Amino acid sequence: MFKSIMIFIFFSLGSVGAYAKIDLVTLPIRDQVQLTIYNPADLTLVREQRTLTLKPGINRLELSWAETLIDPTSVYLEAPQHKGQVNLLEVSYLPHVKESAIWVIESQVSGEVLVEISFFTSGITWNAFYMATLSTDEQSLHLQNEVRINNQSGEDYLNAKTRVIVGKIHLLDEIAQLAKQNPPYGMPIEPFPFTDGNGTLTPRLEEEIKEKSVRSIFTDSVGVAPKQIIKEGLSEYFIYTIEGTESIPNGWGKRLPALDKIDIPVQVLYRYDEQRYGTETQQLLFFKNDQEHHLGETPLPDGQVIVYRQLAENQHLSYVGQLQTQYIPVGQEVEFNLGTAKPVKVEPILMDYKTENYLFDYQGQISGFDRIQEWQLKLTNNRDIPVEIEIFRQIEHPYWNVTYAPDLAVHYEKIDLDTIKYRLTLPPHTKEYLLPYTLTLFEGERQSKKTLIKGMAQ
Amino acid sequence: MKLVISISYIIFSLLFLFAQSSWARVKLVALPEREATVVRLDNPMAILLEEERHLTLQKGINQVDFSWKGVEIIPDSVRLTVLEPIDSVTVLNVSYPPNEQALIWQIVSQNGQQVKVRISYLLKQIDRLITYKAIVNKEETVLDLTAFVVLRNFSGENLPLTRFQLDYGETLASKLANGETKRISFFTANQLPIKKYFTFDAAQLPWDPKQISDNVSIPVHYELDNTPENGLGKQVLWDGKVRLYAEDGHGNHLFLGEDYAQFTPIGQPLKLMIGDSRDVVITQRKISENRVNERRDKQRTQVILYDLEAAMQVDMENFKDQPAWVRLKEPMPEEWEMKTSSHPYKREHNQEIIFDITVPAKEKVIVTYDYVQRNMRP
């Protein structure tokens, strides 16, 4: 069972240098264990409860963690029911002894004491996975989210209270590296070279944990309602606590449903933006992580999304695409990019080019002029439903002006210094919709005259 | 691996008789026990070991051998100080025998006596790390701090019950065998008030989060002042790794992250980065740029100098349930002048300004500023 993390208590003779193990008092098993699993950092905080039998005064205890991926520098002990009365004074990693430490515990109480031991391990990971199903009319979405946990830590965790953490943690060292480091805190550092110095640092172990494919098992219980996941925020993190306990033996994975919402109103939008996507139109799906969209209880963790579309007949599905979603805070708009949309096309065509309004200096040299470009955006919608489309145009020139025919219904919106955006709806089966505009670029002296021109960029 | 000290006596008369002849060093039977060993850890650049011993000296010249086979002593650092009685003995010289990790002191004693000496030396392959464990309350307003010293001894010397002295506080008494690493807790300070900050550095982070595929993460840190009012301020906080935990309100802790605390003198703030926030979203844009105030050359043919007006807009959205204290760092050109700004700012240095903005929970704050970049040359 718990082959690896073992605790022995013994009293020391108090002899110099070595701690003689003379009296093995008890071998406590763990009463309870809690796993807090992070992502994407390979880090799990393990807190286990054990009952130790302590005598008043100094107690020595041995902890060993052979064949695990535990970071020995992260091990702490607390006695929640005897705060201030049971203290871990020292942790000692003896010479020539690997994967073992001696703890010196000072106790003011006698008898059985419940202690909590916490440490980090690597090798347990989790990730979020989404299944999204668009309704036939693309007006609503069925969104399912699952949490998947994999245990490659070398340790079996049976009946563990399990929590997974959504958030981006700041780590200085990888736990997997610390777990391999011997001695646990590394070797002393030579701050400046002495003549006969041979102080070398332990070479960093480059070996990575090989990712193994693991089988996935669903909740142990068959025919019982799926487990609830309790969600709450703390600091910059969101905690998903899985109801009850879970057993995750070493080498196993487990998938638990975390969210299942139907009829989420969504907006499908097509977007053309050469800077971001090149010349292909993208299909995007928008909804907000809020109550109006039957969401908003928790942030949505980043993870993989597979999107299907419900077909009208016999509940058949068609595959739309897959994507990696960002983390979405409560209240923020979700943007799923479903990828290239061939049926909706945007083609910017330069129809005419001329230069005008030349200015000359006192020596007769050209000091300014306007470059006038006549653009036509050729839009096509081959779908059988109307589509909403956004077109971004980068002007790449800070001094410009856009004009268009007065009867044109579509106006642009200025995004920043040199970016404009058009937004319009294309009816179904639009073979060709032309959106013309005139772009004037001001060169040289004409740049300072531009404030005189109406409709000018500021 | 042993440290041996031995004394040989040369009777004054013998020395007189055989002054011209070379004499062999005699290792003594008695091995003086060392007392009161102190390992000083106050300078992280090198560890100083001081030990006290009683030496029984004969009248005349005494030769005291000090050898350290297998121990990483820096030979030039070894010193001998006579503690008592002072002035009754004189160290004549120190010699280093060839191919030995040893030295010999020649000591003249006015009479046969027992003297108390202190031998000090620098040891290699032994050092100390400082690490901290900090637990913040659920509301992130106060923090409990425990400091640990980690002793790593690979010096070749076994240290039986020894006092370890940091630069402050009481000494820690412990044993430390060769090859042993030991973590000892040495102070705890509870309920230290902290403040949480978000920092958006516009020179480092992307301006438009929608343009990139991953979330833009805004670094978050806690600040606490190393002052007596805050329950600290008694000592310098040495640099070291800090692991931060938070109480989760259910009797458990959540690991928040770790950071390397910088050396923090008394009165200075300690900044501890915990991680990145994705619940504060910042979008920055340059809205316009205009050339103004053009000046020409004598022939009035060319613009030789102009100013550039720029308008900036920073949208700060807080999706959290608590207000966020955001420090907005904005890069500036070399020669500039602010025209208008929606919020007060402070000049960090010539090319950086800082806005300290509180963004209320679930709200959006828009910061705008217009500046002129002076005396540009085409």
Side-chain angles (χ1 to χ4, degrees), chain B residues 76-93:
Chain B
D76 289 338
S77 70
V78 184
R79 297 173 54 136
L80 179 88
T81 311
V82 178
L83 298 177
E84 55 182 58
I86 316 171
D87 299 335
S88 63
V89 292
T90 311
V91 179
L92 288 181
N93 59 53

Side-chain angles (χ1 to χ4, degrees), chain B residues 95-108:
Chain B
S95 48
Y96 297 90
N99 306 320
E100 275 183 67
Q101 286 176 303
L103 59 77
I104 304 148
W105 284 294
Q106 272 201 353
I107 302 172
V108 179

